[in-house]
Amino acid sequence: MAKIYFDKDVDRTVLEGKVLGIVGYGNQGRAQALNLRDSGFQVIIGNRQDASWDQAREDGFPVYTVAETASQADILLLLVPDEVAPQVYEEDIAQNLREGKVIDFASGYNITFGFIIPPPTVDVVMVAPRMIGQGVRDTFIQGRGFPSLLGIHQDPSGQALDIALAIAQGIGSTRMGAVMSSFDEETLVDLFSEHLDYIYAIRRAYEVLVEAGCSPEVVLLEWYASGEAIAGAKAIMEMGLWGQLPLHSRTSQYGQEVWTRLSPEEDEAAKAKLREVIDDIRSGRFAQEWMREQQAGMPNFKRIRKENLTHPMLAEEKRLYRVLGREIKDPEEIT
Ligand code: NDP
């Protein structure tokens, strides 16, 4: 069983007198900075001079450029989007990573694929929340916390795990449990769940049900607009995948559990497809293609997004949400 750490396992003294520099005051950056400060740690912020910079100032933090933060901080939390992190690292961080410093990531991506290669003289750790930024702050205030995955990539100080645990404690994660993992494992499970064809599966269901004569409103409510899916996901989280089944009607249970069950051969074929997903991730094929796509100015991303935004489902969604009193973006506003 994976080792899970809680508050009682943490020695906060490893961060005593240390300056924690948060690079990127976005979803994770702001939430983690506020939680760490409330936990009694000394926090400074590094960001571009824009609205996020102003927000950090307004929140009462000392704010500097990324390079200044990298130079001043003992522990650097790199909380910019994964696809821009290599450039930020090269331009402003690499030359400031003196021996004995620590760099902390919130995802395994850039270390796993070698897009960032820190010098061997610094500790490289990962505290990857299994929670969106808003939830990182909200669950901290509520006192519940949230899980994180821990990884140690380099440990020249011999204290990397203690430091990762102290960060996890400071952001509120060891209240619920910080799980020992690795950069590669985090990268695999994170990308895997994003490669499961989820949005297209919903759109396909929409298309065939509308084709079968159902109204778009009924289909959208059934799939996600009602919030029933959230209640279902919450029940799974609280009661377990099988434990929550009795919340559904017997007819629903028969459909979900018996009618949809694949034959052993079909099950094996479905798993073979999933193994291909794993192979695309582990081999670096996905990461390399995504890197090339960005370097080329994202032509495929832009083209496919544009095609998707012309789908009639979006107009129906907008119409339904307006009737329900919710305003959502027009397709042309979605970037
Ligand atoms: P955000 O997109 O919310 O953060 C953006 C921050 O990075 C902003 O402060 C932004 O500055 C800055 N930034 C963006 N582009 C640049 C650039 N080119 N140069 C300098 N700064 C830039 O990121 P997240 O918080 O979502 O992600 C941060 C890390 O957390 C990632 O490693 C991600 O994988 C991980 N993570 C994210 C989760 C989530 O739910 N969002 C969950 C778990 C982990 P500005 O305001 O100036 O644009």
Side-chain angles (χ1 to χ4, degrees), residues 8-61:
K8 65 177 173 42
D9 303 311
V10 179
D11 172 11
R12 289 170 49 100
T13 58
V14 283
L15 292 188
E16 251 168 35
K18 304 282 186 195
V19 175
L20 279 69
I22 308 270
V23 173
Y25 203 66
N27 289 313
Q28 287 294 328
R30 180 165 189 243
Q32 294 198 24
L34 292 168
N35 292 1
L36 285 162
R37 184 176 63 186
D38 287 351
S39 296
F41 295 116
Q42 194 187 338
V43 177
I44 62 173
I45 307 296
N47 206 85
R48 301 186 289 201
Q49 236 163 331
D50 58 8
S52 305
W53 169 292
D54 296 339
Q55 178 70 59
R57 273 269 159 87
E58 218 172 278
D59 291 339
F61 287 106

Side-chain angles (χ1 to χ4, degrees), residues 174-186:
T174 44
R175 293 179 191 176
M176 188 173 277
V179 185
M180 199 61 223
S181 176
S182 67
F183 282 72
D184 290 357
E185 184 178 54
E186 195 279 338

Side-chain angles (χ1 to χ4, degrees), residues 1 4 70 77 110 164 249:
M1 189 184 162
I4 303 182
L77 287 78
N110 282 302
S249 71

Side-chain angles (χ1 to χ4, degrees), residues 35-303:
N35 292 1
L36 285 162
R37 184 176 63 186
D38 287 351
S39 296
F41 295 116
Q42 194 187 338
V43 177
I44 62 173
I45 307 296
N47 206 85
R48 301 186 289 201
Q49 236 163 331
D50 58 8
S52 305
W53 169 292
D54 296 339
Q55 178 70 59
R57 273 269 159 87
E58 218 172 278
D59 291 339
F61 287 106
V63 190
Y64 304 97
T65 64
V66 172
E68 284 164 349
T69 300
S71 163
Q72 289 184 38
D74 303 294
I75 321 276
L76 211 58
L77 287 78
L78 188 54
L79 298 176
V80 295
D82 293 329
E83 67 273 18
V84 306
Q87 193 187 345
V88 172
Y89 178 85
E90 279 310 317
E91 287 175 2
D92 293 323
I93 295 177
Q95 70 274 22
N96 291 303
L97 271 186
R98 286 185 303 279
E99 186 175 341
K101 290 203 180 200
V102 180
I103 182 161
D104 166 69
F105 291 81
S107 95
Y109 194 89
N110 282 302
I111 292 294
T112 289
F113 295 119
F115 295 137
I116 293 178
I117 304 178
T121 49
V122 302
D123 287 356
V124 180
V125 305
M126 177 186 74
V127 181
R130 299 296 88 182
M131 183 59 72
I132 59 170
Q134 188 61 52
V136 165
R137 183 61 181 158
D138 290 347
T139 59
F140 179 89
I141 291 168
Q142 292 154 6
R144 268 190 302 135
F146 54 89
S148 286
L149 302 189
L150 304 173
I152 307 298
H153 178 63
Q154 288 179 188
D155 185 16
S157 74
Q159 288 193 305
L161 178 59
D162 288 334
I163 292 165
L165 283 172
I167 295 171
Q169 192 268 339
I171 62 175
S173 196
T174 44
R175 293 179 191 176
M176 188 173 277
V179 185
M180 199 61 223
S181 176
S182 67
F183 282 72
D184 290 357
E185 184 178 54
E186 195 279 338
T187 301
L188 176 60
V189 294
D190 191 47
L191 291 181
F192 184 85
S193 60
E194 292 161 3
H195 291 188
L196 289 186
D197 192 24
Y198 185 63
I199 52 173
Y200 289 114
I202 293 177
R203 193 173 76 176
R204 273 197 294 275
Y206 172 90
E207 286 169 347
V208 296
L209 285 165
V210 170
E211 184 186 285
C214 299
S215 80
E217 294 77 14
V218 168
V219 177
L220 293 170
L221 283 165
E222 178 68 28
W223 276 88
Y224 55 86
S226 67
E228 189 183 4
I230 297 174
K234 189 162 179 282
I236 292 174
M237 180 195 73
E238 286 169 354
M239 303 168 74
L241 191 55
W242 263 262
Q244 55 86 39
L245 281 174
L247 298 181
H248 304 264
S249 71
R250 277 279 180 214
T251 307
S252 165
Q253 291 175 48
Y254 188 79
Q256 292 186 62
E257 212 173 344
V258 181
W259 186 254
T260 62
R261 190 160 173 258
L262 300 176
S263 68
E265 297 74 31
E266 290 167 331
D267 197 55
E268 207 33 63
K271 278 193 203 148
K273 282 256 168 243
L274 295 180
R275 289 189 191 106
E276 284 173 22
V277 174
I278 292 178
D279 194 44
D280 282 340
I281 296 167
R282 283 208 166 130
S283 65
R285 270 196 293 280
F286 169 79
Q288 289 300 337
E289 181 184 308
W290 175 217
M291 177 61 94
R292 281 195 299 275
E293 174 75 5
Q294 290 172 78
Q295 285 164 348
M298 301 208 271
N300 292 313
F301 195 173
K302 287 177 187 162
R303 177 178 53 78

